[in-house]
């Protein structure tokens, strides 16, 4: 195991935290996770009046076996090259799981000096579009920030918001119709936020990311609250409940599949359990063909699947 003075491989030595930069991101992350651990969870007795949520800085330092002054420097962004042993000790105190610990490591890793300031356009490969058109289940292609880049007819029949140019986070937090469609929308939104934290990492100056988080922070107090928790985890296959205005309650599996050669793009498919009432309802929704573009190949494929 590395000594406490040995820096994490690839860590960059820097003396301070630029506004909104990686150093301040490290401090903000440590503070957010510290405030989520109670003294009882950490196995210590709470003494006196506590003016801060969660653990105090000196308590984290004591439990991690480092000096309070050194931990303070980490939170204030004055030291971005802690040893792996120190990070592991802090992670143990803050009870970070693998996803959160990986994110912690990313905040002290070397950041390339030359960034590509002009963001690359998210372009869906033609083959992925053909696959999307051939599917008989609601499906769409999403970008790194949950923008809808393409969708099939049945996806739009499931939710008109699953259309090209929409953003799933904006709709979940700001559109009452989408909230009514998904009774568990707060759980879904929290999952999206945690996934966004993981996928973005330290690339926090991307214009689309800044625009999206800025708009949501200003317009949704719930988003601001959840964003400040610094939850980090990837999305896994799950089941989602819908309250559809035409066919009633639907329980669908959601799968997210990466698209080869298209970094960050995901194919998302909603599918019911075989021979279930949900499958019957989805077939009914497909046969209705709403919304339908007259004469389109996709509309014909959707109708033929009913």
């Amino acid at each position: 195991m590395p000594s406490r003075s040995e820096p994490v491989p690839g860590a960059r030595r820097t003396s301070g935290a630029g506004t909104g930069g990686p150093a301040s991101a490290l401090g903000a992350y440590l503070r957010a996770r510290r405030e989520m651990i109670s003294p009882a969870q950490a196995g210590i007795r709470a003494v006196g009046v506590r003016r801060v949520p969660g653990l105090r800085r000196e308590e984290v330092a004591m439990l991690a076996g480092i000096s309070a002054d050194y931990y303070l420097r980490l939170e204030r962004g004055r030291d971005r090259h802690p040893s792996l042993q120190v990070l592991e000790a802090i992670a143990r105190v803050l009870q970070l799981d693998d996803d959160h610990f990986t994110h912690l490591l990313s905040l002290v890793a070397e950041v390339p000096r030359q960034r590509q300031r002009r963001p690359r356009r998210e372009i869906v490969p033609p083959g992925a579009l053909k696959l999307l058109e051939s599917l008989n289940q609601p499906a769409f292609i999403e970008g790194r920030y949950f923008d809808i880049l393409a969708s099939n007819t049945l996806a739009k029949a499931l939710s008109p918001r699953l259309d090209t140019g929409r953003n799933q986070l904006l709709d979940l937090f700001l559109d009452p119709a989408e909230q009514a469609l998904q009774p568990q929308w707060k759980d879904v939104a929290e999952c999206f936020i945690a996934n966004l934290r993981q996928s973005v990492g330290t690339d926090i100056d991307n214009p689309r990311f800044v625009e999206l988080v800025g708009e949501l922070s200003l317009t949704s107090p719930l988003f601001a609250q959840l964003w400040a928790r610094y939850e980090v985890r990837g999305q896994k296959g799950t089941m989602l409940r819908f309250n559809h205005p035409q066919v009633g309650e639907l329980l669908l599996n959601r799968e997210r599949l990466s698209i080869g050669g298209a970094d960050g793009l995901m194919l998302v498919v909603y599918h019911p359990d075989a021979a279930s009432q949900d499958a019957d309802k989805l077939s009914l929704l497909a046969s209705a063909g709403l919304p339908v573009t007259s004469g389109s190949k996709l509309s014909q494929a959707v109708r033929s699947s009913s």
Side-chain angles (χ1 to χ4, degrees), residues 6-12 81-85 87 105 108-109:
E6 180 184 346
V8 175
R12 181 175 64 179
H81 54 280
S83 71
L84 181 59
Q85 184 179 0
L87 293 175
L105 291 178
V108 298

Side-chain angles (χ1 to χ4, degrees), residues 16 77 169 245:
L169 271 175

Side-chain angles (χ1 to χ4, degrees), residues 13 66 87 106 160 173 176 179 181 204 209 220 262 269 278 285 306:
R13 298 177 181 270
I66 60 179
L87 293 175
S106 76
F173 281 101
Q179 294 170 5
L181 178 66
I204 56 177
F209 170 77
S220 173
V269 182
D278 302 297
L285 188 62
S306 60

Side-chain angles (χ1 to χ4, degrees), residues 200-265:
V200 170
T202 58
D203 190 20
I204 56 177
D205 60 350
N206 182 283
R208 177 56 181 151
F209 170 77
V210 173
E211 175 190 37
L212 179 62
V213 173
E215 180 176 356
L216 284 167
S217 298
L218 290 173
T219 54
S220 173
L222 177 59
F223 174 86
Q225 176 187 346
L226 294 175
W227 186 248
R229 291 169 59 90
Y230 278 78
E231 291 288 350
V232 181
R233 63 180 180 272
Q235 287 196 53
K236 301 177 177 64
T238 188
M239 297 196 76
L240 294 180
R241 191 177 303 277
F242 296 88
N243 186 16
H244 197 275
Q246 290 177 290
V247 297
E249 185 176 284
L250 274 171
L251 190 61
L252 301 176
N253 301 282
R254 182 186 67 188
E255 307 296 339
R256 298 176 76 244
L257 309 172
S258 59
I259 298 175
D263 186 34
L265 269 58

Side-chain angles (χ1 to χ4, degrees), residues 4 59-68 85-86 89-90 92-93:
R4 293 181 185 271
E59 291 170 337
V60 175
M62 175 191 68
L63 293 170
I66 60 179
S67 72
Q85 184 179 0
V86 166
I90 292 174
R92 172 178 51 79
V93 175

